[in-house]
Amino acid sequence: MRELLRSVWGAPRAPDPPELGWRDWALVGVVASLTVLEGILRPDIPARAAAVIITLALVPTLLWRRARPLPMVATAFVATGVTPLFIGREPDLVTMVYLLALPYALFRWGSGREAVAGAALIVAKNFLSAALGYVDLTEMVIGFVVLFATFALAIAFRYRAMLWARGLDQAKLLERERLARDLHDTVAHHVSAMAIRAQAGIAVAATRPDAAVDALRVIEAEAARALAEMRTMVHTLRRTGPADLAPNPGIPDLVRLTNGSQPGPIVDVELAGDLDGIPATVGTAIYRLAQESVTNARRHARHATRIEVRVAADAGSVRLRVTDDGDTGSARPAGPGGFGIVGMTERASLLGGTCEAGPNPDRGWTVAVVLPWSATAA
């Protein structure tokens, strides 16, 4: 129990709260309008003018409920707690329900210490109002039920956001691991070629010096490629895992993505431009991204009959476009765990490129990838 309380007390504030925007100002305008309207339409409210003025005075706390949750909670609940000293009772307006947004924001965005302090202040205020006779026992119990439900809802959304952020991080790390493995195999190929050429050059150096010079030129070229690949590899993360001994696929292997005898939409692969000199790193990335896109389309494109895979190269980049003709009426999952697009975007960005995915204007879904010829880690 002590450890639980310590962890709650030491919890940091939730990261990246939404900034103040037009929706917050619109909310303030709507609440203020409803407060004035209620004050006009309900003449039976005790101390009506004072209640409306106090309610309107506390409306601006909604603007800073995420940036400064504890001060806003303290301002609102202290003000409503001392109001009976001047008007004989608490403001009795229905629109004051907007104050529940303050404890919600406290538990959703505030730190553990702020949440504990704010909750203690709110509980103390409610007990004090009941003790002074401003609210009866039934109203106090209902108030506590509503407040604790608000706390629970805020904690649930906070925990859900934490799980989502953790899932994003795991998807990015997994894609970096996959990329690092692909790059490792590519670098190993270059180093193996250098070793073979060096051995051949040593064998013929005495009898054919020109052949030894040719071997050195090949070693120099392979070394330059290996260094370029290593610069990319060191910018990625690689965790311990079983080694994949199969050779890395490339652009020529995209024909594997066609259906063959498998059921489902037809997969059409088209290659355009000069694709022979594409670096192995870029070719493997294009294949992996196309494979992920085709897999997602087969799984999630409803009523799709055709998937088109187009790869084209120009002087500076290689472009991949995967399009299907499935329905776009419902949101399409992004892969296992909902993070497939995240992983694809991470792989493309690590190689200095871009990856965009979304529904077509009329029908279907498109994934568009652009990778530079000289892939460098971003």
Side-chain angles (χ1 to χ4, degrees):
M1 187 65 179
R2 180 180 300 176
E3 293 298 327
L4 177 61
L5 295 176
R6 184 177 299 175
S7 63
V8 172
W9 182 258
R13 298 195 65 183
D16 302 324
E19 296 182 356
L20 181 64
W22 67 268
R23 291 183 178 85
D24 299 299
W25 290 102
L27 176 62
V28 167
V30 169
V31 172
S33 301
L34 292 176
T35 301
V36 174
L37 186 62
E38 184 179 2
I40 295 174
L41 298 179
R42 290 185 58 193
D44 58 322
I45 300 175
R48 179 172 54 169
V52 170
I53 292 174
I54 294 171
T55 304
L56 289 175
L58 295 177
V59 170
T61 58
L62 295 173
L63 297 175
W64 297 282
R65 67 188 186 279
R66 293 186 294 264
R68 298 180 178 85
L70 181 58
M72 296 304 102
V73 166
T75 299
F77 284 87
V78 169
T80 56
V82 300
T83 296
L85 300 178
F86 301 96
I87 65 174
R89 60 179 299 137
E90 294 186 357
D92 193 18
L93 270 67
V94 175
T95 49
M96 289 204 73
V97 72
Y98 76 84
L99 290 179
L100 289 175
L102 302 181
Y104 173 87
L106 177 67
F107 276 77
R108 174 63 181 87
W109 303 105
S111 65
R113 297 181 181 183
E114 290 175 327
V116 171
L121 176 64
I122 295 172
V123 170
K125 182 263 178 187
N126 285 348
F127 274 120
L128 181 62
S129 297
L132 296 178
Y134 300 130
V135 295
D136 57 29
L137 182 61
T138 302
E139 291 175 332
M140 184 185 71
V141 172
I142 294 175
F144 277 126
V145 170
V146 173
L147 278 173
F148 285 120
T150 303
F151 296 159
L153 184 64
I155 294 173
F157 276 102
R158 179 169 181 155
Y159 184 68
R160 179 186 178 187
M162 291 172 58
L163 291 180
W164 177 260
R166 187 176 301 174
L168 287 175
D169 292 338
Q170 290 177 348
K172 292 179 179 180
L173 288 176
L174 179 60
E175 197 59 34
R176 292 189 178 196
E177 175 188 354
R178 291 171 177 169
L179 178 57
R181 287 176 176 172
D182 292 339
L183 293 174
H184 173 270
D185 294 340
T186 303
V187 173
H189 168 75
H190 291 312
V191 174
S192 298
M194 291 164 56
I196 293 173
R197 285 290 182 171
Q199 293 170 357
I202 293 173
V204 301
T207 58
R208 296 176 55 193
D210 55 337
V213 173
D214 292 339
L216 289 175
R217 292 194 181 99
V218 174
I219 291 174
E220 179 186 14
E222 292 291 336
R225 295 191 187 97
L227 286 174
E229 305 291 350
M230 289 179 66
R231 290 191 185 98
T232 304
M233 184 173 63
V234 298
H235 285 80
T236 64
L237 298 177
R238 182 174 187 178
R239 295 177 295 186
T240 303
D244 186 359
L245 301 180
N248 287 340
I251 290 179
D253 299 298
L254 287 171
V255 293
R256 302 180 190 171
L257 302 179
T258 57
N259 294 64
S261 59
Q262 298 180 14
I266 298 173
V267 180
D268 179 50
V269 178
E270 179 181 333
L271 308 179
D274 183 11
L275 302 173
D276 294 334
I278 293 178
T281 303
V282 178
T284 300
I286 291 292
Y287 178 86
R288 299 295 190 196
L289 294 170
Q291 182 183 42
E292 180 74 16
S293 301
V294 171
T295 300
N296 287 341
R298 282 176 170 169
R299 290 177 178 174
H300 307 299
R302 297 179 56 192
H303 309 300
T305 61
R306 188 179 186 85
I307 302 173
E308 297 181 352
V309 180
R310 300 289 181 264
V311 179
D314 53 33
S317 62
V318 182
R319 299 177 182 272
L320 167 68
R321 185 178 181 88
V322 181
T323 305
D324 65 71
D325 59 354
D327 293 339
T328 56
S330 58
R332 188 176 301 183
F339 299 109
I341 299 300
V342 174
M344 295 166 64
T345 304
E346 181 73 5
R347 177 179 283 260
S349 63
L350 287 171
L351 296 176
T354 60
C355 176
E356 298 179 355
N360 299 327
D362 49 357
R363 181 183 177 89
W365 187 276
T366 295
V367 176
V369 178
V370 180
L371 296 181
W373 274 72
S374 301
T376 56

